[in-house]
Amino acid sequence: MRVVMAMMQHETNTFSTVPTPLARFSRGNAKPVPLEGQAAIDAFRNTGTALGAFIELAEAEGLEMVVPMAASAWPSGPVEDAAYTYMTDRICAAVEQGCDAILLHLHGAMVTESLEDGEGALLARVRALAPNTPIGVALDMHTNLYPAIVDSADVVAGYQTYPHIDVYETGIRAAKPILAMLKGKAKPTMAWGNRPMLPHVMRQGTDDFPNSAIQALCAKMEADGALCATFFTGFPHADIELAGSSAVVVTDGDQSKADALCREILDLAWKHRAEFVYEIEPLDESLARAKTMTEGPIVLLDHYDNAASGGSMDSMTVLKGILEAGLDNVAAFAVCDPEAVTAMARAGVGETVTLSLGGKTDMPSIGRKGEPLEVTGRVRLISDGRFRNIGPMSRGVLNDMGPTAVLDTGKVEIVVVSTQQEPNDYACFQSLGIDPTAKRYLMLKSRVHWRAGFKPIARQIVDCAGVGVCTSDYSMLDFKNVRRPIYPLDEDLQPTSTA
C-alpha cells in the first residue's frame, strides 16, 4: 500500500513585515528549497515531529512512503504565492499519481498573499484528487480553523501542549485512525466548532489555567474512547475572519457523541475566556523588579518580538533597557542582524567593534520605525549557526540561524543571528559556547516556547513588554478582517458557534 506524507508548516503573522519566500522553508538545506523524497525521510526519521511519527508508523506497517514535501518556516508575514504554489503543487502531484492514504503535517494558520486559509485550500485540492482516500491531518494548537480543513479530511488532530512538546505524539494521533480505516477497523466521524474569542498568546501555555484544564479534558475524552479531541487556542496575530479558538472531536462512527464532546470543550473555553486575557506590566517596572532579584538564572522575556510569532527579532527596546539598567552577567538570545554579523566576522574574534545593532525593520502595522542601538563590545565567537535541538521540543531537528556571532559588552553576551530562530532549546546557547545555567539573566525573545528548554533552570521569570508585531496589546493592532464582535476586542457578548 502507498501512503503520501508531507509537511507544510507556517504560522502567518499578517502584521509582520518579515517576508516569506520559498527559501525560508529550506531550514538550512543545501539548496534554498524544502526537502523532498528520500532526503526528507532521512532528515525526519527518528525526530520528535509529526512527519517523524508518520515515517515510523509507515515503516512498521510496511507501507510504501512518498514524501513530496517537507517544508517548515519560522512565523513571518504572508507566504508568497509562488512559494505556496511550489509546495502545494508537489503535494498534489504525488496524490494525483495514486495512493491508499494521505498523512499531512500542516500548521493551520497559514495565510498567503491570496488566501486566508492556505491549508484549507490545499486540502480541498487533495480531496478533489482523491475523493475516497483516507486523509489524516496533524495541526498546531494555534490553528485558525476554517471549514475546508475539516470538510476535506477524515481525521484532524492538534497539539495538546504549549510549548509544543507533543508534536510527534500528535502525528501518531492523526495517523493511527487512518491506518485503522485502511484495515476496516474504524469509521471516523468529526465535529467541529468555534467561539468568538482571541486568547492572548501569553495566556495560552498549557502550564497555565485555563488551557491546562481544557487540554486535560481533551486528553480524558481520548482516554474514554474518542479517537482525537483537540482544542485550538488559535493565533490572534492573523487579521483574518476566523482567527481565534475552535475545537475538533473525532469519534469512531458516533456523530452525536462527537458533537456533544466538541460543545463541551468549547463551552469550557468560553466560560473561562476572561482568564485568557494577559495583563501587561510596563517595561521600566519589569526591569526595576528584575534588578532586585538575586537568584538566577532569571529569564527576561522580550515577548513582543519573538520568532515563533512572526517577530523580526531586531527590536532593541528591551535590550536597550537591560544595558541602561546596568544588569550584569546577561546572555541575550537573539538579535537578527546579518549586517552586524558580517561586520563582526570581518573584524575577527577578539576584536572590539562598535555596531549599529538591530532596528533594521520598520513595523508599519503598529506605527513604529526600526530603531538601531549603538553597542560596543568584543567579538567573542563566530559560528555557522547550525545546531540540532536536544529536546523536548522538536527533538533532533536541525536549526540554521545563518552566520552567527556573539558580541560581549562586558556585562551582556549578545547572540547575533542572520535569520530568525526561537530560543526553545538549550542547544541554542550551548552551540555557541554559552552555559545558560551560569548566567544571572537570560534575555529570550520568546513568549511560551522558551519553557520547553529553559523552564527547568529558570529560578525567576520577568515578562518584558518591548516593541514588536507580537505585541500583547491588542489596541496596537488594526484588526480589519476578523469577525466581529469578538472577545476581548469587544464588550462581553454571547457565544456564537458552528457547533
Side-chain angles (χ1 to χ4, degrees), residues 171 202 342 350 381 445 470 484:
M202 291 291 284
T342 298
L381 177 142
K445 283 183 178 284
C470 309
R484 303 295 288 266

Side-chain angles (χ1 to χ4, degrees), residues 10 30 45 48 67 184 211 242 251 303 312 338 350 405 425 470 476 491:
H10 186 259
R45 181 187 281 113
V67 183
N211 201 15
L242 293 185
T251 59
H303 59 97
S312 60
D425 195 279
C470 309
M476 295 187 69
E491 296 296 323

Side-chain angles (χ1 to χ4, degrees), residues 387-406:
F387 68 92
R388 290 190 182 275
N389 273 16
I390 299 167
M393 186 173 175
S394 301
R395 172 184 50 81
V397 171
L398 176 66
N399 295 282
D400 187 352
M401 303 180 288
T404 295
V406 177

Side-chain angles (χ1 to χ4, degrees), residues 224-246:
D224 291 342
L227 297 179
C228 298
T230 302
F231 173 64
F232 297 109
T233 52
F235 183 60
H237 287 73
D239 185 21
I240 57 176
E241 182 183 3
L242 293 185
S245 296
S246 60

Side-chain angles (χ1 to χ4, degrees), residues 52-69:
F54 297 162
I55 292 168
E56 180 180 301
L57 289 174
E59 290 182 332
E61 295 286 337
L63 303 177
E64 178 189 354
M65 295 182 290
V66 178
V67 183
M69 183 57 48

Side-chain angles (χ1 to χ4, degrees), residues 165-247:
I165 60 174
D166 67 330
V167 181
Y168 170 89
E169 289 79 4
T170 301
I172 297 290
R173 290 166 52 232
K176 277 195 169 181
I178 298 299
L179 298 179
M181 288 180 71
L182 293 178
K183 298 174 183 178
K185 295 182 178 180
K187 295 181 179 180
T189 56
M190 281 198 294
W192 80 282
N194 58 37
R195 289 289 187 269
M197 52 189 284
L198 285 172
H200 282 91
V201 172
M202 291 291 284
R203 294 291 304 130
Q204 293 183 13
T206 47
D207 292 340
D208 306 324
F209 184 86
N211 201 15
S212 56
I214 300 169
Q215 299 302 334
L217 175 62
C218 292
K220 183 179 184 301
M221 288 176 176
E222 292 185 357
D224 291 342
L227 297 179
C228 298
T230 302
F231 173 64
F232 297 109
T233 52
F235 183 60
H237 287 73
D239 185 21
I240 57 176
E241 182 183 3
L242 293 185
S245 296
S246 60

Side-chain angles (χ1 to χ4, degrees), residues 170-481:
T170 301
I172 297 290
R173 290 166 52 232
K176 277 195 169 181
I178 298 299
L179 298 179
M181 288 180 71
L182 293 178
K183 298 174 183 178
K185 295 182 178 180
K187 295 181 179 180
T189 56
M190 281 198 294
W192 80 282
N194 58 37
R195 289 289 187 269
M197 52 189 284
L198 285 172
H200 282 91
V201 172
M202 291 291 284
R203 294 291 304 130
Q204 293 183 13
T206 47
D207 292 340
D208 306 324
F209 184 86
N211 201 15
S212 56
I214 300 169
Q215 299 302 334
L217 175 62
C218 292
K220 183 179 184 301
M221 288 176 176
E222 292 185 357
D224 291 342
L227 297 179
C228 298
T230 302
F231 173 64
F232 297 109
T233 52
F235 183 60
H237 287 73
D239 185 21
I240 57 176
E241 182 183 3
L242 293 185
S245 296
S246 60
V248 175
V249 175
V250 187
T251 59
D252 192 356
D254 191 338
Q255 187 65 54
S256 62
K257 182 178 180 181
D259 293 338
L261 294 179
C262 186
R263 283 194 298 271
E264 184 178 354
I265 295 169
L266 292 170
D267 287 347
L268 180 61
W270 181 256
K271 177 182 177 182
H272 293 289
R273 62 195 178 278
E275 288 150 296
F276 276 116
V277 175
Y278 176 72
E279 299 297 333
I280 300 166
E281 179 182 45
L283 178 61
D284 57 351
E285 294 180 19
S286 298
L287 292 176
R289 189 160 53 86
K291 199 168 185 178
T292 67
M293 298 175 177
T294 55
E295 186 180 5
I298 300 158
V299 171
L300 307 174
L301 287 179
D302 184 0
H303 59 97
Y304 277 38
D305 186 37
N306 76 304
S309 290
S312 60
M313 291 189 75
D314 76 338
S315 173
M316 303 303 292
T317 304
V318 173
L319 183 56
K320 179 182 180 183
I322 289 170
L323 292 168
E324 291 178 347
L327 299 185
D328 196 5
N329 194 19
V330 184
F333 192 100
V335 176
C336 183
D337 189 339
E339 294 176 18
V341 174
T342 298
M344 283 188 279
R346 188 180 298 119
V349 172
E351 296 299 316
T352 297
V353 295
T354 297
L355 302 170
S356 177
L357 186 62
K360 308 296 194 298
T361 306
D362 292 337
M363 296 164 278
S365 63
I366 59 171
R368 298 296 292 263
K369 293 278 190 180
E371 296 181 10
L373 179 66
E374 185 174 288
V375 181
T376 298
R378 181 178 63 87
V379 180
R380 192 184 65 73
L381 177 142
I382 303 293
S383 165
D384 65 2
R386 294 166 69 92
F387 68 92
R388 290 190 182 275
N389 273 16
I390 299 167
M393 186 173 175
S394 301
R395 172 184 50 81
V397 171
L398 176 66
N399 295 282
D400 187 352
M401 303 180 288
T404 295
V406 177
L407 181 69
D408 188 352
T409 71
K411 291 187 175 182
V412 183
E413 288 189 300
I414 306 168
V415 177
V416 187
V417 299
S418 295
T419 188
Q420 290 82 16
Q421 171 70 42
E422 172 81 3
N424 58 34
D425 195 279
Y426 222 77
C428 72
F429 280 120
Q430 285 188 327
S431 66
L432 302 173
I434 298 173
D435 178 3
T437 66
K439 294 297 180 180
R440 183 179 179 190
Y441 298 100
L442 298 173
M443 191 208 87
L444 304 176
K445 283 183 178 284
S446 182
R447 300 179 95 175
V448 175
H449 281 317
W450 70 273
R451 299 180 191 179
F454 297 97
K455 189 173 183 180
I457 67 168
R459 295 295 175 262
Q460 299 179 83
I461 304 151
V462 179
D463 295 349
C464 298
V467 173
V469 295
C470 309
T471 175
S472 292
D473 183 355
Y474 284 169
S475 69
M476 295 187 69
L477 302 175
D478 185 14
F479 288 99
K480 297 178 179 178
N481 301 308

